Amino acid sequence: MTEQWQLDPDRALPADPTTRDLARTIYRHAATLPLVSMHGHVDVDLFADNQAFGDPAELLITPDHYLVRMLVSQGYRHAELGVPHRDRDSGGDPVERDPRAIWRRFCENWHLFRGTPTRYWLEHELAEIFELPAPPSAKNADVLYDQLAETLQRADFRPLALLDRMNVQILATTDSALSDLSSHGRLARQLGPARIVPTFRPDSLVHVGHHAWTAEVDRLAEVSGVDTGDYQGFLAALRQRRRAFIDAGARATDHGHLTADTTPLPTASAERIYRDALAGNVSPADTEAFAAHMLFQMAEMSAEDGLVMQLHPGVLRNHSGEIYRQHGPDQGFDVPVRVEFTRSLRPLLEKFGLSDRFRCILFTTDETVYSRELAPLAGAYPSVRLGAPWWFLDSPEQMRRFRESAVETAGFYNTSGFVDDTRAFASIPARHDLSRRIDAGYLAKLVAEARLGMDEAMDTMVDLAHRLALTAYAAPHD
Amino acid sequence: MTEQWQLDPDRALPADPTTRDLARTIYRHAATLPLVSMHGHVDVDLFADNQAFGDPAELLITPDHYLVRMLVSQGYRHAELGVPHRDRDSGGDPVERDPRAIWRRFCENWHLFRGTPTRYWLEHELAEIFELPAPPSAKNADVLYDQLAETLQRADFRPLALLDRMNVQILATTDSALSDLSSHGRLARQLGPARIVPTFRPDSLVHVGHHAWTAEVDRLAEVSGVDTGDYQGFLAALRQRRRAFIDAGARATDHGHLTADTTPLPTASAERIYRDALAGNVSPADTEAFAAHMLFQMAEMSAEDGLVMQLHPGVLRNHSGEIYRQHGPDQGFDVPVRVEFTRSLRPLLEKFGLSDRFRCILFTTDETVYSRELAPLAGAYPSVRLGAPWWFLDSPEQMRRFRESAVETAGFYNTSGFVDDTRAFASIPARHDLSRRIDAGYLAKLVAEARLGMDEAMDTMVDLAHRLALTAYAAPHD
Amino acid sequence: MTEQWQLDPDRALPADPTTRDLARTIYRHAATLPLVSMHGHVDVDLFADNQAFGDPAELLITPDHYLVRMLVSQGYRHAELGVPHRDRDSGGDPVERDPRAIWRRFCENWHLFRGTPTRYWLEHELAEIFELPAPPSAKNADVLYDQLAETLQRADFRPLALLDRMNVQILATTDSALSDLSSHGRLARQLGPARIVPTFRPDSLVHVGHHAWTAEVDRLAEVSGVDTGDYQGFLAALRQRRRAFIDAGARATDHGHLTADTTPLPTASAERIYRDALAGNVSPADTEAFAAHMLFQMAEMSAEDGLVMQLHPGVLRNHSGEIYRQHGPDQGFDVPVRVEFTRSLRPLLEKFGLSDRFRCILFTTDETVYSRELAPLAGAYPSVRLGAPWWFLDSPEQMRRFRESAVETAGFYNTSGFVDDTRAFASIPARHDLSRRIDAGYLAKLVAEARLGMDEAMDTMVDLAHRLALTAYAAPHD
């Protein structure tokens, strides 16, 4: 008879018994609704290939930058956690090749994750999906490793099987604008057209100062079949790729910029900067101006083709040059900066904000803008939706604070529904479930304080858990 | 026997039973105290004319920018909600003329207001003041409309009767510095001198870059009888108007600026900018500098004449040019921006901050400044009071956060008491009542956590609900 | 039989009974652990001299800028509270010489402190340490004064006796880099080497624009025996002082700058600015650049000698010039400004951030940076720890918000443990105790919401109350 690790069915619900009872009822009303995952970063080839996961470290540790950075913050090196070097010449520490050693390092440091969402998600994954018998510890690291490694070889734990088991209704991946979308095509034929869909991400093409930009533009010409030798060709090629994405089921675009600036340039200026950039001779100021200009262009194209525009500014990427040189991007060293929306979005909203053919969803890692800027904007402009708490803010306290800061001005119905935004495939159900629990707790508080009726709370719960994400990511003029 | 809509007597009190019991006792101690409404935007002519309200839409929907913007954010047009065009040439959608159709649109979308203070206030108004039988819905829209329309014709629902029924002790309106105050004069003769008093708002006169500025300055000369042909005359005319306001019972001035900058200019510079502005030739930089300079001048005049100076910076007005062109200002498209007080107020506080003849009350829509800037300033300078949570922040969660952010550094006694700041006359009691409930909940938490005695909490409750507003808006050297 | 003033043993624990029960158990587990006070401002000579405190006002009121500013904010003058003039020529009000009169002013205004941490700390001090029979009031002011004055004369209430009674394991003072450390030497001989230790604070030496700077540099030469006639000598002299501090037991340096900028200058530029400053001819821009440069230099020295680097930017000192002219610095008129860490610290962290020989602890009075900047930095860089809520933020609501904002991203183990940061010696136990209660409440909430096990919460509690401060302030490469 094996041990059983049972998670508390009331976890993450409010402690006060009156509110908890209400929250439990509200939560259960939505607990088993299918998952709508409209913004995430799982690699489409995981599903297209549908191979078994290699080992526990490869599945759960090495690629999870939340988890890696926490171990690094306490003295481990990326390489000790199996993170590969960016290239042969990047130097640095020898990379750990033994996944069991990596797994042990993680288990021995389980206490570092106390109070973090990573801990919460992992508990859910390990107990509910992989049915491990107990939380990680120095003592049981090997036993857990063996059991998990064995589970991962089972056919019913391959990616597509997990997708069913996780009750995922639709999953949007994030894809370079240069993707040929062949994997999505294959999956659409296998699973139907609206199960795994791409998202159009053109960031690498609009930041003209990046060292690899000209190579990207060349590839854009190749993939699109449109000459990108001048600015007009560049726009035409982007339009072609957007159409290809739409044909492959895409609902949205995704834009990660340092600021939310959307000031358009006169066409002649945009053409000039584009020319300079192709010649490898572009100033930082022009780079910034062009990025802002391109957000405006992307909005214009969205107003034409109906792709929902997602914008998430305000993170300074690769804060540590050393980590970037050794291991490349997305290694836990991206750090938010203050962000501004009210003035930055004004050019875009002046032009498209009142249109019923345009929709944008705004994300932030700077919680100070919820009440000051985003809720007032989303609570006025018909085109604006306020995205779910994102990245560093996708956690119990932050999700509560998001509701407490945004709903009073924006209402529930100008928010986008939950997005999991994750590279960690197995954490998707945990993230959606946690979001449902926190929302249930917030609604329960409103009921307990007689600010909302119970029937309304139940109805709102289904909206937050399911309906809003579907409608927010539908083409606005559908 | 008609249906009854009973609001929960414990609404907006904390859910935890221990804290709720305390909160209920504390709240009841202050629940029936008269309302002191020292900062609001109800039109004085509403009372001077004392006519019956026209219809439910005219009373509750069309003029309420909180409500209109929420419906607009979900796809309605201002015109569909009866909002008139700014002028004959402003173009745009045809304006709905049928108040019943407007009312229906509102009722059908009652769910949009879930979790918002608008919903909370409307419940209070509809159930407690207008005694409607049930919350709005698509089904009962017509029944409610008819009952409400009938009620509005009753003599005891005319503005002055409502003022008594609402238990309003004193109501301050906000009035252009150009107002001749004749309506206030009439009301003073009718109601006594301290029931409905004006507030001096000179914004249109100090923003020299505004297209209508010279016309305003001409009218200032007319109303004041002082030649405004040069800067010294302008100051003299303003002094004259302030005296007229004081004679009409005014307690305070009100200043809405984009920033809190209070840097004075050398007199020669102020005179030069004033001349340039009269000649219609003033730069944006000079416009900003002059506005800051005039805040300093207003403080100087306040230190002379005892008018309390209210400052509320940080809102970018008319974010959507299109809405402004069609419908004018105050249509729900004002959006806050980050605001700074510490450095901006320094010139003013260096000069008047320690004076016992000067008082200013600071408001913000940027909640980040409570703990960082406003509480430290109000907790040190004897002239500074911290205003109530204002506009977007006048809501349950925000009022809680205000107390949680400001009191520990500023104490309760450097806050101003509640101000309702509303154009929606019928919402005044709801707003005061909600504020009392939230304050009672906060005080109850302090008692429950043994951070305050129950007798102290009861005493503080009366201060917050009643006494502080009276003393904050009394001339400081009285 | 005398009256007894009993504080509620559950004070500052959560109100909800379920959570309170858990919190009580967790708190008691750490309640009697010795105090580790690694960042404070008690004058070392208080212990070196070990004289009885003069009178109640001198002990509790006049030197406590939290308390003085609150009374000033309601109309008292500094001089009425016994605050001395800065010098003979500073002018201003006559200074109150009667400590009993000062004490009465305080007692009569006890209500001003409702809801503030000052009130909470004073209750603890008066009831638990000085065993007064009741809270202060106008009525009992004289009785309390007499009893307190008598107590202060007792041998067991002298500073060193109190240090034992307070269960202080180690106390770090803050000392000018120019201190000869003789008092510390004397105390080390008397108490052992690690009971009262100095902290190296070089602020007056790195702000070259300050009017007293050249005098400071001359004294640096004297104390260090190193010629400070040029920049290299200046650095060498600073190194000498750091070694002297380390020899006297110092664990850390302390840096209060207006911004967190750490951009290094080319050596030639630093040398040039240093020369200009010695010649009394330095621009504000150079002053700022040199201060930033010196933070970088201090980090370099810390990476060499192991002193932990404490940085607390973002307070505009002496906001009121008038108060500063009359009474000097630290009089309650320092006001926070917005602060930025992500970009500002990048130069420092690029160079030393991944080093295992460097540690910095970051403090803020701008709570908006916890989730946006500090937690992401501390949750990635191994050298960064996030300091306890500091100054204006050292209060129940703020300590809760700190945990709710920082832990989810940084974890508990990248925070520094509590620091009391106080000049008010008698408030040290109250501050530590309050911190333990709030942390217990936060941990109890995690347990009640099944986000943490009870055994883990108990273990974490001991870390937060005791272990983390010891390890954070140990040399990183020990």
Side-chain angles (χ1 to χ4, degrees):
Chain A
M1 195 180 117
T2 57
E3 204 182 339
Q4 270 257 306
W5 183 10
Q6 285 286 7
L7 299 183
D8 189 322
D10 285 339
R11 63 194 182 278
L13 299 181
D16 161 56
T18 319
T19 317
R20 173 164 291 187
D21 282 351
L22 295 164
R24 193 188 292 122
T25 306
I26 296 168
Y27 165 70
R28 285 189 186 158
H29 188 53
T32 59
L33 290 171
L35 309 189
V36 176
S37 174
M38 296 309 296
H39 178 122
H41 297 282
V42 179
D43 186 349
V44 63
D45 287 329
L46 186 77
F47 306 106
D49 300 345
N50 200 30
Q51 295 302 303
F53 293 99
D55 62 66
E58 184 192 317
L59 171 68
L60 293 173
I61 300 172
T62 307
D64 184 337
H65 60 71
Y66 288 78
L67 205 153
V68 164
R69 71 159 176 77
M70 180 62 88
L71 293 170
V72 166
S73 79
Q74 289 277 318
Y76 288 89
R77 315 289 294 184
H78 279 77
E80 292 177 278
L81 305 167
V83 179
H85 291 151
R86 196 167 57 151
D87 55 47
R88 190 168 297 222
D89 306 322
S90 60
D93 317 295
V95 174
E96 177 65 68
R97 303 281 169 210
D98 177 7
R100 187 182 292 269
I102 298 169
W103 177 258
R104 274 198 210 116
R105 278 174 198 139
F106 159 66
C107 292
E108 286 162 7
N109 286 285
W110 181 240
H111 68 285
L112 296 181
F113 298 95
R114 290 175 189 167
T116 70
T118 297
R119 140 84 177 238
Y120 188 93
W121 299 326
L122 281 168
E123 283 193 334
H124 186 113
E125 294 172 56
L126 299 177
E128 303 261 305
I129 300 184
F130 299 111
E131 297 177 347
L132 292 192
S137 71
K139 261 195 211 159
N140 71 8
D142 282 324
V143 174
L144 296 186
Y145 184 91
D146 292 334
Q147 181 170 338
L148 193 47
E150 200 185 302
T151 301
L152 294 181
Q153 295 318 305
R154 283 164 49 185
D156 56 336
F157 279 84
R158 297 212 168 176
L160 286 176
L162 276 181
L163 202 69
D164 287 337
R165 174 193 297 246
M166 288 174 176
N167 197 18
V168 176
Q169 174 177 342
I170 173 169
L171 181 91
T173 60
T174 306
D175 305 270
S176 161
L178 304 172
S179 166
D180 67 8
L181 301 171
S182 56
S183 296
H184 280 96
R186 215 152 17 111
L187 282 166
R189 286 187 294 277
Q190 186 182 344
L191 305 176
R195 187 77 190 279
I196 297 179
V197 300
T199 301
F200 180 78
R201 182 149 191 177
D203 288 357
S204 66
L205 291 161
V206 304
H207 289 94
V208 296
H210 195 274
H211 65 88
W213 181 74
T214 49
E216 294 279 300
V217 166
D218 288 347
R219 285 206 48 214
L220 174 61
E222 240 173 79
V223 179
S224 68
V226 180
D227 183 354
T228 59
D230 63 14
Y231 170 70
Q232 295 301 340
F234 173 66
L235 291 187
L238 285 171
R239 278 204 182 80
Q240 193 282 336
R241 295 316 301 142
R242 293 175 65 107
R243 277 195 303 275
F245 271 71
I246 290 169
D247 292 344
R251 310 284 183 93
T253 68
D254 186 25
H255 306 273
H257 283 221
L258 185 54
T259 78
D261 186 11
T262 60
T263 312
L265 294 166
T267 304
S269 302
E271 291 174 339
R272 196 262 308 154
I273 294 175
Y274 189 83
R275 264 197 315 276
D276 289 352
L278 278 186
N281 179 26
V282 68
S283 70
D286 278 351
T287 297
E288 275 183 43
F290 194 82
H293 170 77
M294 286 307 298
L295 281 183
F296 190 93
Q297 299 306 310
M298 290 293 110
E300 185 151 58
M301 293 186 198
S302 276
E304 290 162 20
D305 63 24
L307 284 177
V308 173
M309 182 175 189
Q310 300 176 94
L311 176 60
H312 47 80
V315 180
L316 186 67
R317 307 280 172 161
N318 310 310
H319 193 271
S320 166
E322 182 62 23
I323 299 292
Y324 181 69
R325 275 186 298 278
Q326 283 198 27
H327 300 287
D330 301 324
Q331 295 303 335
F333 280 72
D334 301 333
V335 183
V337 291
R338 208 151 55 210
V339 73
E340 203 282 336
F341 284 97
T342 303
R343 289 183 170 102
S344 302
L345 290 179
R346 200 173 190 186
L348 186 153
L349 291 174
E350 280 284 11
K351 182 77 181 206
F352 311 107
L354 301 175
S355 164
D356 58 7
R357 300 187 63 80
F358 176 67
R359 180 172 304 125
C360 64
I361 302 178
L362 304 174
F363 296 89
T364 184
T365 52
D366 176 356
E367 56 173 313
T368 69
V369 298
Y370 286 144
S371 71
R372 187 180 59 219
E373 303 176 31
L374 292 184
L377 288 167
Y381 284 98
S383 60
V384 176
R385 293 290 179 277
L386 181 38
W390 172 63
W391 198 339
F392 297 102
L393 307 186
D394 178 13
S395 61
E397 302 297 343
Q398 290 287 351
M399 288 195 279
R400 266 180 208 154
R401 270 221 290 292
F402 169 71
R403 292 288 173 212
E404 289 171 0
S405 300
V407 167
E408 293 183 324
T409 287
F412 287 108
Y413 293 91
N414 287 308
T415 60
S416 75
F418 183 69
V419 304
D420 53 68
D421 182 50
T422 190
R423 289 161 211 283
F425 175 49
S427 75
I428 290 177
R431 288 169 186 245
H432 283 262
D433 182 66
L434 178 55
S435 161
R436 290 169 182 189
R437 290 170 183 272
I438 299 299
D439 280 342
Y442 185 67
L443 290 164
K445 185 175 82 160
L446 293 183
V447 174
E449 296 182 358
R451 292 157 63 195
L452 200 67
M454 189 61 177
D455 54 336
E456 294 173 300
M458 302 282 269
D459 180 59
T460 307
M461 185 67 227
V462 176
D463 289 326
L464 301 184
H466 191 68
R467 290 181 206 132
L468 275 173
L470 287 174
T471 55
Y473 285 86
H477 44 288
D478 278 359
Chain B
M1 194 180 116
T2 56
E3 202 181 343
Q4 269 258 305
W5 182 11
Q6 284 288 5
L7 299 184
D8 189 322
D10 285 339
R11 63 194 182 280
L13 299 181
D16 162 56
T18 318
T19 317
R20 173 166 289 189
D21 282 352
L22 295 164
R24 194 188 291 122
T25 305
I26 296 168
Y27 165 69
R28 287 190 184 157
H29 188 53
T32 59
L33 290 171
L35 309 189
V36 176
S37 174
M38 297 308 297
H39 177 123
H41 298 281
V42 179
D43 186 348
V44 63
D45 287 329
L46 186 75
F47 305 107
D49 300 344
N50 201 30
Q51 296 301 304
F53 292 99
D55 61 66
E58 183 192 318
L59 171 67
L60 293 172
I61 300 172
T62 306
D64 184 338
H65 61 71
Y66 288 80
L67 205 153
V68 165
R69 70 160 177 77
M70 182 62 88
L71 294 170
V72 166
S73 78
Q74 289 277 318
Y76 287 91
R77 314 289 293 184
H78 280 76
E80 292 177 278
L81 305 167
V83 178
H85 291 152
R86 197 167 56 153
D87 55 46
R88 189 168 295 224
D89 306 322
S90 61
D93 317 295
V95 174
E96 176 65 67
R97 304 279 170 213
D98 178 7
R100 188 182 290 271
I102 297 169
W103 176 259
R104 273 199 209 116
R105 278 174 199 138
F106 160 66
C107 291
E108 287 162 7
N109 287 285
W110 181 240
H111 68 284
L112 296 182
F113 299 94
R114 289 176 189 168
T116 71
T118 297
R119 140 86 177 235
Y120 187 92
W121 299 326
L122 281 168
E123 283 193 334
H124 187 112
E125 294 172 55
L126 298 177
E128 303 261 305
I129 299 183
F130 298 110
E131 298 178 346
L132 293 192
S137 70
K139 261 195 210 158
N140 70 8
D142 282 324
V143 174
L144 297 187
Y145 185 90
D146 292 333
Q147 180 170 336
L148 194 47
E150 200 185 303
T151 300
L152 293 181
Q153 295 319 305
R154 285 165 48 186
D156 57 336
F157 279 84
R158 297 212 170 179
L160 286 176
L162 277 181
L163 202 67
D164 287 337
R165 174 192 297 248
M166 288 173 176
N167 197 18
V168 176
Q169 173 178 340
I170 175 168
L171 181 91
T173 61
T174 306
D175 305 86
S176 163
L178 303 173
S179 166
D180 66 8
L181 301 170
S182 57
S183 297
H184 279 96
R186 218 159 6 118
L187 282 165
R189 285 187 294 277
Q190 184 180 347
L191 305 176
R195 187 78 191 280
I196 297 180
V197 300
T199 301
F200 179 78
R201 183 151 191 176
D203 289 357
S204 67
L205 290 161
V206 304
H207 288 94
V208 296
H210 195 274
H211 65 89
W213 181 75
T214 49
E216 295 278 301
V217 166
D218 288 347
R219 285 204 49 215
L220 175 61
E222 240 173 81
V223 180
S224 67
V226 179
D227 182 355
T228 59
D230 63 14
Y231 170 70
Q232 295 301 341
F234 173 66
L235 291 188
L238 286 171
R239 277 204 183 80
Q240 193 282 337
R241 295 315 302 140
R242 293 175 66 108
R243 276 195 304 274
F245 271 72
I246 291 169
D247 292 344
R251 311 284 184 94
T253 68
D254 186 26
H255 306 273
H257 283 221
L258 185 54
T259 78
D261 188 10
T262 61
T263 311
L265 295 165
T267 304
S269 303
E271 290 174 340
R272 198 261 308 152
I273 294 175
Y274 189 83
R275 263 197 316 275
D276 290 353
L278 279 186
N281 179 26
V282 68
S283 70
D286 278 350
T287 297
E288 277 181 43
F290 194 81
H293 170 77
M294 285 308 298
L295 281 183
F296 190 93
Q297 299 306 311
M298 290 292 111
E300 186 152 56
M301 293 184 198
S302 277
E304 289 163 19
D305 64 23
L307 285 177
V308 173
M309 182 177 189
Q310 301 177 93
L311 177 59
H312 47 80
V315 180
L316 186 68
R317 307 280 170 161
N318 309 311
H319 193 271
S320 165
E322 182 62 24
I323 299 293
Y324 182 69
R325 273 186 300 276
Q326 283 198 25
H327 300 287
D330 302 323
Q331 295 303 334
F333 280 72
D334 300 332
V335 184
V337 291
R338 207 150 55 210
V339 73
E340 203 282 335
F341 284 96
T342 304
R343 288 184 171 101
S344 302
L345 291 179
R346 202 176 190 184
L348 186 153
L349 292 175
E350 280 285 13
K351 182 79 181 202
F352 311 106
L354 302 175
S355 164
D356 58 7
R357 300 187 63 82
F358 176 67
R359 182 172 303 125
C360 64
I361 302 180
L362 304 174
F363 296 89
T364 184
T365 52
D366 176 355
E367 57 173 311
T368 69
V369 298
Y370 286 143
S371 72
R372 188 180 58 218
E373 303 175 31
L374 292 185
L377 287 167
Y381 284 99
S383 61
V384 177
R385 293 290 178 277
L386 182 37
W390 173 63
W391 199 339
F392 298 102
L393 307 185
D394 179 12
S395 61
E397 302 295 344
Q398 289 288 351
M399 288 195 280
R400 267 180 208 156
R401 271 221 291 290
F402 169 71
R403 292 287 173 213
E404 289 171 358
S405 300
V407 168
E408 294 183 324
T409 288
F412 287 108
Y413 293 91
N414 287 307
T415 60
S416 74
F418 183 68
V419 304
D420 54 69
D421 182 49
T422 190
R423 290 162 211 283
F425 176 50
S427 75
I428 289 176
R431 288 169 187 244
H432 283 262
D433 181 67
L434 179 55
S435 162
R436 291 170 181 188
R437 290 170 182 273
I438 299 298
D439 280 341
Y442 184 66
L443 289 165
K445 185 175 81 160
L446 293 183
V447 174
E449 297 182 358
R451 291 157 63 194
L452 200 66
M454 189 62 176
D455 54 336
E456 294 173 300
M458 302 282 270
D459 180 59
T460 307
M461 185 68 225
V462 176
D463 289 326
L464 301 184
H466 192 68
R467 291 182 206 131
L468 276 173
L470 287 175
T471 55
Y473 285 86
H477 44 287
D478 280 358
Chain C
M1 196 180 115
T2 57
E3 202 182 343
Q4 269 257 305
W5 182 10
Q6 285 287 7
L7 299 183
D8 189 322
D10 286 340
R11 63 194 183 278
L13 299 181
D16 162 57
T18 319
T19 317
R20 173 165 290 189
D21 282 352
L22 295 164
R24 194 188 292 122
T25 305
I26 296 168
Y27 165 69
R28 288 191 183 156
H29 188 53
T32 59
L33 289 171
L35 309 189
V36 176
S37 173
M38 296 309 297
H39 178 122
H41 298 280
V42 179
D43 186 347
V44 64
D45 287 329
L46 186 75
F47 306 107
D49 300 345
N50 201 31
Q51 296 301 304
F53 292 99
D55 61 66
E58 184 192 318
L59 172 68
L60 293 171
I61 300 172
T62 306
D64 185 338
H65 60 72
Y66 289 79
L67 206 154
V68 165
R69 69 159 178 77
M70 181 62 88
L71 293 170
V72 166
S73 78
Q74 289 277 319
Y76 288 91
R77 315 287 296 182
H78 279 76
E80 292 178 278
L81 305 166
V83 179
H85 292 152
R86 199 167 54 151
D87 54 47
R88 188 169 297 222
D89 305 322
S90 60
D93 317 296
V95 173
E96 176 65 68
R97 303 280 170 211
D98 178 7
R100 189 182 290 270
I102 298 169
W103 177 258
R104 275 199 209 115
R105 279 174 197 139
F106 160 68
C107 291
E108 287 162 6
N109 287 284
W110 181 240
H111 69 284
L112 296 181
F113 299 94
R114 289 175 189 168
T116 70
T118 296
R119 140 86 177 234
Y120 187 93
W121 299 326
L122 281 168
E123 284 193 333
H124 187 113
E125 293 172 57
L126 298 178
E128 304 259 307
I129 299 183
F130 298 111
E131 298 177 345
L132 293 191
S137 70
K139 261 195 213 160
N140 70 8
D142 282 325
V143 174
L144 296 186
Y145 184 90
D146 292 334
Q147 179 168 339
L148 193 48
E150 198 186 304
T151 300
L152 293 181
Q153 296 317 307
R154 283 164 49 186
D156 56 336
F157 278 83
R158 296 212 169 178
L160 286 176
L162 277 180
L163 203 67
D164 287 337
R165 174 192 296 246
M166 288 173 176
N167 197 17
V168 175
Q169 174 177 341
I170 175 168
L171 180 91
T173 61
T174 306
D175 306 87
S176 161
L178 303 172
S179 167
D180 67 7
L181 300 172
S182 57
S183 296
H184 280 96
R186 214 153 17 112
L187 283 166
R189 285 187 295 277
Q190 185 181 345
L191 305 176
R195 188 78 192 279
I196 297 180
V197 300
T199 301
F200 179 78
R201 182 150 191 179
D203 288 359
S204 66
L205 290 162
V206 304
H207 290 95
V208 295
H210 196 273
H211 64 89
W213 181 74
T214 49
E216 294 279 301
V217 165
D218 288 347
R219 285 204 49 213
L220 175 61
E222 240 172 80
V223 180
S224 68
V226 180
D227 182 356
T228 59
D230 63 15
Y231 170 70
Q232 295 301 339
F234 174 65
L235 291 187
L238 286 171
R239 277 204 183 81
Q240 192 282 337
R241 294 317 299 143
R242 294 175 64 109
R243 276 194 305 273
F245 271 72
I246 291 169
D247 292 344
R251 310 284 183 93
T253 68
D254 185 26
H255 306 273
H257 283 221
L258 185 54
T259 77
D261 187 11
T262 61
T263 312
L265 294 165
T267 304
S269 303
E271 291 173 339
R272 198 261 309 153
I273 294 175
Y274 189 83
R275 262 196 317 275
D276 291 353
L278 279 187
N281 180 25
V282 68
S283 69
D286 279 350
T287 297
E288 276 181 43
F290 194 81
H293 170 77
M294 285 307 299
L295 281 183
F296 190 93
Q297 298 306 311
M298 290 293 111
E300 186 152 57
M301 293 185 198
S302 277
E304 288 163 20
D305 64 23
L307 284 177
V308 173
M309 183 176 188
Q310 300 177 93
L311 177 59
H312 46 81
V315 181
L316 186 67
R317 307 280 171 159
N318 309 311
H319 193 272
S320 164
E322 182 62 23
I323 299 292
Y324 181 70
R325 273 186 300 276
Q326 283 198 27
H327 301 287
D330 301 323
Q331 295 304 336
F333 280 72
D334 301 332
V335 183
V337 291
R338 208 149 56 209
V339 72
E340 203 282 336
F341 283 97
T342 303
R343 289 182 170 103
S344 302
L345 290 179
R346 201 176 189 185
L348 186 153
L349 291 175
E350 281 284 13
K351 182 77 180 207
F352 311 107
L354 302 174
S355 164
D356 58 8
R357 300 188 62 80
F358 176 68
R359 180 172 306 124
C360 64
I361 302 179
L362 304 174
F363 296 88
T364 184
T365 52
D366 176 355
E367 57 173 312
T368 69
V369 298
Y370 286 144
S371 71
R372 187 179 60 219
E373 302 176 33
L374 291 184
L377 287 168
Y381 283 99
S383 60
V384 177
R385 292 291 178 277
L386 182 36
W390 172 63
W391 200 339
F392 299 102
L393 308 186
D394 179 13
S395 61
E397 302 297 343
Q398 289 288 351
M399 289 195 279
R400 267 181 208 154
R401 271 221 290 292
F402 169 71
R403 292 289 174 212
E404 289 171 359
S405 300
V407 168
E408 294 183 324
T409 289
F412 287 108
Y413 293 92
N414 287 309
T415 60
S416 74
F418 182 68
V419 304
D420 53 70
D421 182 48
T422 190
R423 289 163 211 283
F425 175 50
S427 75
I428 290 177
R431 288 170 187 244
H432 283 262
D433 182 66
L434 178 55
S435 161
R436 290 170 183 186
R437 290 171 182 272
I438 299 298
D439 280 342
Y442 184 66
L443 289 165
K445 184 175 84 160
L446 293 184
V447 174
E449 297 182 357
R451 291 156 65 194
L452 200 66
M454 188 62 177
D455 54 336
E456 294 174 300
M458 302 282 269
D459 180 58
T460 307
M461 185 67 225
V462 176
D463 289 325
L464 301 184
H466 191 69
R467 290 182 207 130
L468 276 173
L470 287 174
T471 56
Y473 285 86
H477 45 287
D478 277 359

